[in-house]
Amino acid sequence: MGKNIYNNEEEQFSNLLNDLKELPRVNAPDNFEFQLMTRIQNKNFETLPEPREQFNFIKFFAPSAVVVTVIILLFVFLPGNDQYDNPLMTDPPQILAQSDHENVITDQNINNDRTNKQSSNVARQNSSSSLNVAVNPNDAVVKPGSKYPIYSNRSVALDDYISGENKRRNNLQANVVKGGEDVQEFDGFFIREEADKKTIERYRALLDSVKKAQSKQDSLKKVKREE
Amino acid sequence: MALNRNLTDLTDEELIKEFQVSNTLDAYEILVKRYKDPLMNFVFRFVGDRDACTDIVQDTMIKFYLNKDSYREFAKFSTWIYTIAGNLAKNELKRRKRRNLFSIDNSDDERSIQIEDKSFLAPDRSADSEIKNEMIQRALLRVKPVYREVVILRDIQSLSYEEIADIKKLSIGTVKSRINRGRTQLQKLLKHIYNE
């Protein structure tokens, strides 16, 4: 057991501490042990009941208040569905073609050349220049007006391709068929180029010389075997 | 080892080991004899009711008897038995608090209300230590239980800070802090005595 040695902290309470020390000792009643041993021998181990957990208003309401506040804040500050459009009630999305300004100018120059050279096909040229085809989600072919930017690297003039008169300079022509938010790329139309006759003859000559060399080698091997 | 010596010569830890291993009831009785009075004093100062404190100490001894195997050798027996008694005493206080929930005079918060104004007492009686002790006990019961318990253990039961820290399962710093706050509350409640 500890000793009552007062340190500096305890000096201010010295009178109180002395009085506490001098408090009369409370002792157990004389029959304490007898009662205890009787209980043990009789196996009377029933002790005082544990106190039930007291309902604590603060413990209950503080978390509840926090939860309610969070729910209210969520309702207040969460973005609503006011801007939601019914897709069935809205117009189909329009085609967006992408290009650059340079290509638009190139298209216009080409069309001008055509009008000069082929005066008889003016009407057809005019129509072909505006035949930049775009496809809606409902597959309706739309003839885009001048308000849509038409860019040649992302589109193609079908009539030019069909007639073989495609004079566009850029090689990366591709169409973009755009419906809604999904971008679907269209690689465009490509014309199969016929092989050059000189190149074919040159490769044939090469193959013939290889075959001749092989036949000579085979004949030499046969002669050696026979010998 | 223990059998070769007189049981009364054994330490508390040796006695409980004897009780655990051999179920020697004599060892148990010796421990009861040693601790019944200190525990009665501790519980009475904490609860303030002699009848209740007798029941609490009886229950403490019953729990000790039933749960002897839960004692571990590395702890001091005194801290173990004081822990049991302290827990039961706190349960009793909770039970009383529930009972007096709607009573007007049930708050044990720190208040500046004096326990007993000495001006109401005759001068010859004011010097009476019995009255003073009664005032101290009443003041003690108005100190918050968390502080009251450590003040009783330290200043009445004279336990060391280490022992109190073991009983309360707190750090020594926390124990010292609580003791200091308890003493301050107590002195404030008894300012009529100590200001003179």
Side-chain angles (χ1 to χ4, degrees):
Chain A
M1 299 284 167
K3 292 175 183 174
N4 189 13
I5 300 168
Y6 297 141
N7 54 30
N8 291 334
E9 290 176 3
E10 293 175 338
E11 272 181 13
Q12 56 178 321
F13 304 112
S14 57
N15 290 331
L16 173 68
L17 297 182
N18 283 331
D19 288 340
L20 287 172
K21 282 267 176 280
E22 288 169 10
L23 282 173
R25 311 294 292 183
V26 176
N27 294 326
D30 295 336
N31 60 350
F32 181 87
E33 284 170 83
F34 174 75
Q35 282 182 347
L36 179 66
M37 297 316 289
T38 308
R39 280 178 72 179
I40 290 169
Q41 282 174 359
N42 294 337
K43 299 194 184 304
N44 178 17
F45 299 133
E46 192 178 331
T47 55
L48 292 167
E50 294 279 322
R52 283 184 300 169
E53 191 64 36
Q54 196 174 348
F55 180 77
N56 192 327
F57 283 95
I58 295 170
K59 277 183 185 173
F60 177 74
F61 283 113
S64 308
V66 169
V67 170
V68 170
T69 310
V70 167
I71 291 168
I72 291 168
L73 288 174
L74 282 175
F75 273 109
V76 170
F77 291 108
L78 264 187
N81 293 329
D82 299 340
Q83 294 176 352
Y84 174 73
D85 292 329
N86 186 352
L88 299 173
M89 300 296 289
T90 54
D91 295 331
Q94 293 179 334
I95 298 136
L96 292 175
Q98 295 177 354
S99 178
D100 52 49
H101 182 65
E102 184 184 341
N103 288 333
V104 174
I105 293 166
T106 310
D107 287 349
Q108 288 172 352
N109 292 337
I110 290 165
N111 288 335
N112 290 336
D113 291 342
R114 283 173 187 164
T115 49
N116 293 333
K117 289 177 182 177
Q118 299 175 349
S119 57
S120 60
N121 294 329
V122 170
R124 191 177 63 80
Q125 289 294 334
N126 287 337
S127 65
S128 70
S129 66
S130 60
L131 267 177
N132 292 319
V133 175
V135 181
N136 267 341
N138 56 4
D139 293 329
V141 178
V142 178
K143 183 180 175 183
S146 60
K147 59 182 177 181
Y148 301 125
I150 307 300
Y151 306 120
S152 63
N153 64 339
R154 306 287 283 175
S155 62
V156 68
L158 281 176
D159 281 357
D160 288 352
Y161 270 102
I162 292 163
S163 63
E165 293 176 356
N166 183 27
K167 293 177 180 177
R168 293 190 180 183
R169 290 173 188 168
N170 93 46
N171 296 321
L172 296 171
Q173 287 186 359
N175 279 355
V176 173
V177 180
K178 181 160 185 174
E181 292 295 321
D182 300 324
V183 176
Q184 295 174 337
E185 289 201 355
F186 177 55
D187 290 337
F189 299 97
F190 297 97
I191 298 169
R192 176 180 282 179
E193 290 183 6
E194 290 184 10
D196 189 11
K197 285 181 182 178
K198 289 178 182 175
T199 312
I200 292 168
E201 284 173 3
R202 196 173 64 199
Y203 280 111
R204 280 178 181 169
L206 276 171
L207 286 169
D208 290 341
S209 64
V210 170
K211 283 178 182 175
K212 281 177 185 175
Q214 274 188 341
S215 60
K216 279 182 182 177
Q217 194 178 4
D218 292 341
S219 61
L220 282 170
K221 281 180 182 174
K222 280 181 182 178
V223 171
K224 280 182 181 177
R225 280 177 196 163
E226 288 171 1
E227 286 175 358
Chain B
M1 107 188 134
L3 294 174
N4 298 333
R5 293 158 61 187
N6 193 348
L7 283 174
T8 50
D9 297 334
L10 298 179
T11 63
D12 298 343
E13 288 72 31
E14 287 170 335
L15 281 171
I16 191 168
K17 195 171 183 184
E18 180 67 26
F19 182 44
Q20 283 177 329
V21 174
S22 311
N23 204 20
T24 311
L25 205 60
D26 288 345
Y28 171 74
E29 283 187 63
I30 290 167
L31 283 170
V32 169
K33 268 183 191 163
R34 283 184 189 176
Y35 280 93
K36 63 175 184 175
D37 289 337
L39 289 178
M40 277 291 288
N41 196 47
F42 163 61
V43 175
F44 174 75
R45 296 297 171 197
F46 190 63
V47 177
D49 183 334
R50 193 178 284 266
D51 291 336
C53 103
T54 306
D55 290 342
I56 289 165
V57 178
Q58 284 260 340
D59 286 354
T60 304
M61 294 306 180
I62 292 287
K63 277 191 181 290
F64 159 38
Y65 179 84
L66 294 174
N67 304 300
K68 65 178 189 293
D69 294 325
S70 66
Y71 169 79
R72 294 284 173 268
E73 244 180 299
F74 54 80
K76 279 184 76 174
F77 176 76
S78 61
T79 60
W80 186 66
I81 198 86
Y82 266 106
T83 306
I84 298 171
N87 289 337
L88 290 172
K90 276 183 274 185
N91 286 349
E92 175 64 20
L93 285 183
K94 282 181 193 171
R95 214 178 291 118
R96 286 179 178 207
K97 199 176 176 183
R98 280 176 64 84
R99 218 179 293 149
N100 301 328
L101 193 63
F102 301 105
S103 171
I104 297 165
D105 190 28
N106 65 344
S107 173
D108 58 359
D109 290 342
E110 188 178 357
R111 292 188 301 188
S112 59
I113 298 169
Q114 292 306 298
I115 305 310
E116 205 167 321
D117 196 330
K118 287 177 75 178
S119 61
F120 291 108
L121 301 170
D124 57 330
R125 286 194 64 198
S126 67
D128 192 348
S129 63
E130 205 172 305
I131 301 294
K132 193 177 177 183
N133 291 341
E134 180 70 19
M135 290 165 69
I136 291 170
Q137 174 62 25
R138 287 191 187 187
L140 201 54
L141 293 174
R142 287 199 176 272
V143 175
K144 280 187 174 179
V146 283
Y147 304 139
R148 189 195 315 162
E149 189 179 3
V150 288
V151 167
I152 293 167
L153 288 171
R154 174 67 187 159
D155 296 332
I156 297 175
Q157 300 298 112
S158 302
L159 297 189
S160 67
Y161 287 120
E162 289 77 12
E163 285 173 316
I164 298 168
D166 284 344
I167 290 166
K168 295 299 298 169
K169 295 179 176 55
L170 295 168
S171 68
I172 290 176
T174 310
V175 168
K176 284 182 177 176
S177 165
R178 286 189 181 182
I179 288 170
N180 197 52
R181 287 183 186 185
R183 285 169 179 166
T184 308
Q185 277 191 15
L186 196 56
Q187 200 160 39
K188 202 175 171 183
L189 289 163
L190 295 167
K191 64 182 178 186
H192 282 271
I193 295 176
Y194 297 111
N195 281 355
E196 286 176 359

